[in-house]
Amino acid sequence: MIELKDVVYCRLGTRDLEGAEWFAVNILGLEVAERHRGAIHFKSDSRYHTLCYFEGDPDEQVTAFEVAGRSELQAAAATLEQLGHPVHAGTAEECATRHVREFIRFTDPTGNGIELVVRPEHSGQRYHGTRDAGITGFSHVGLCTTDAARDEKFWTTVCNARVSDRIGDAPLMRLGSIHHSIALFPFHKPGIQHINHQVEATDDIQRSLNHLRDRQINITFGPGRHPTSSAQFLYFSGPDGMTFEYSTGVCEIHDEPMWRDRQFPFEPVGFCQWGSRPRIAAFED
Ligand SMILES: [Fe+2]
């Protein structure tokens, strides 16, 4: 079993690095950690970075997860190779740009780019964005799946994810106690479906709603509250059509043996208990 500790960063290719930086700083509210050879790394919490935009094809997207150490990484590589997932071991230069000790890259059964990393750096400095978005940290990703049952099996039996709840066939899965760190949404092609940052409070959601509206940002869902995780949320579009989410108040699951995953309908009411309707392709029938 590949034991994933947490989701650590996303990497997104873009043809407009300058535009992506403007969005990440002025709209999303992240802080530039480093600019290096056609890539910009952004902080959202005490980690060295949690998001990277790089010059490249917008279809090139990667989600990274931390594993405990070198032997666990080697064991993961062997398991993945055995299952027919070709593995690329990160070069010294690739490790240096990511500020990780070691990593491997592979694709999940749908074709999503995944990196497993060892010892991702913490900066020792707290994050402070230039705009007060109230972000407390990068928290979860939604990944597209072309076969939800197959991919749920991959993440829960090859890896250690546990299903907290399902919306239709879309599983919301935890790695630690937070309700979900990965969610899989049925879609016709691979890709990151959304990137979530937690914010401190309802006030931050409401303040961002006005900030985004005033700047003509496409708000695609919310404000609302998820009946699954009980988090209040706001979804909006970023560069290259990527969906970003702010949320606050995600529940935690501490009683592992007693938790039973719940089934919610794949309808607006399964996503929002305040009556908001999503305008996001993977959330609609
Ligand atoms: Fe989310």
Side-chain angles (χ1 to χ4, degrees):
M1 165 101 42
I2 302 172
E3 183 103 6
L4 308 174
K5 300 290 178 195
D6 200 359
V7 59
V8 286
Y9 58 73
C10 289
R11 294 174 59 81
L12 303 174
T14 183
R15 304 273 184 226
D16 178 9
L17 195 57
E18 207 178 311
E21 178 182 357
W22 180 86
F23 175 88
V25 170
N26 297 295
I27 300 301
L28 199 49
L30 303 185
E31 178 187 355
V32 174
E34 188 176 73
R35 289 186 188 81
H36 185 70
R37 292 191 184 176
I40 306 179
H41 294 74
F42 299 92
K43 274 172 76 69
S44 66
D45 50 36
S46 65
R47 293 175 280 193
Y48 163 73
H49 90 291
T50 56
L51 179 67
C52 172
Y53 271 109
F54 60 93
E55 280 169 3
D57 185 340
D59 284 342
E60 270 188 60
Q61 301 174 347
V62 167
T63 304
F65 298 89
E66 183 178 358
V67 296
R70 177 162 217 211
S71 56
E72 287 79 1
L73 189 69
Q74 287 172 343
T79 300
L80 291 163
E81 292 273 15
Q82 207 173 30
L83 291 170
H85 299 265
V87 170
H88 164 78
T91 64
E93 194 189 339
E94 288 172 328
C95 290
T97 59
R98 288 160 176 74
H99 288 237
V100 301
R101 195 51 68 105
E102 285 180 75
F103 80 93
I104 59 172
R105 182 168 54 237
F106 68 100
T107 54
D108 77 357
T110 279
N112 291 301
I114 306 294
E115 291 180 356
L116 302 183
V117 314
V118 173
R119 290 162 63 183
E121 253 179 50
H122 281 246
S123 66
Q125 290 178 322
R126 67 180 178 181
Y127 140 84
H128 57 96
T130 48
R131 115 165 173 79
D132 181 16
I135 290 175
T136 55
F138 168 52
S139 186
H140 69 252
V141 285
L143 296 178
C144 294
T145 172
T146 52
D147 183 334
R150 176 199 62 200
D151 290 358
E152 180 184 312
K153 197 170 167 202
F154 173 82
W155 289 102
T156 58
T157 63
V158 178
C159 304
N160 62 324
R162 285 93 67 201
V163 176
S164 297
D165 289 315
R166 285 186 196 81
I167 305 172
D169 292 328
L172 311 185
M173 299 178 289
R174 66 192 181 280
L175 300 175
S177 61
I178 294 168
H179 181 274
H180 58 281
S181 297
I182 328 170
L184 302 176
F185 294 98
F187 205 55
H188 62 274
K189 61 174 193 160
I192 295 176
Q193 188 273 328
H194 76 273
I195 296 175
N196 169 280
H197 293 86
Q198 291 290 307
V199 295
E200 209 171 305
T202 307
D203 284 342
D204 299 305
I205 301 266
Q206 292 295 334
R207 202 151 16 82
S208 282
L209 176 67
N210 289 316
H211 183 85
L212 301 181
R213 264 188 194 150
D214 287 351
R215 287 154 186 81
Q216 283 84 48
I217 299 299
N218 182 23
I219 294 165
T220 50
F221 193 19
R225 187 191 284 278
H226 290 308
T228 47
S229 65
S230 79
Q232 294 173 47
F233 63 80
L234 183 66
Y235 291 80
F236 51 99
S237 297
D240 307 297
M242 177 56 63
T243 295
F244 287 90
E245 177 192 17
Y246 291 135
S247 71
T248 187
V250 64
C251 71
E252 294 195 25
I253 292 170
H254 290 289
D255 193 355
E256 279 284 337
M258 290 302 288
W259 182 263
R260 295 290 175 265
D261 49 271
R262 300 166 298 177
Q263 180 67 52
F264 290 82
F266 200 88
E267 293 166 14
V269 73
F271 287 91
C272 179
Q273 57 189 181
W274 290 352
S276 180
R277 290 177 173 273
R279 289 187 297 108
I280 300 171
F283 286 177
E284 296 170 282
D285 265 332

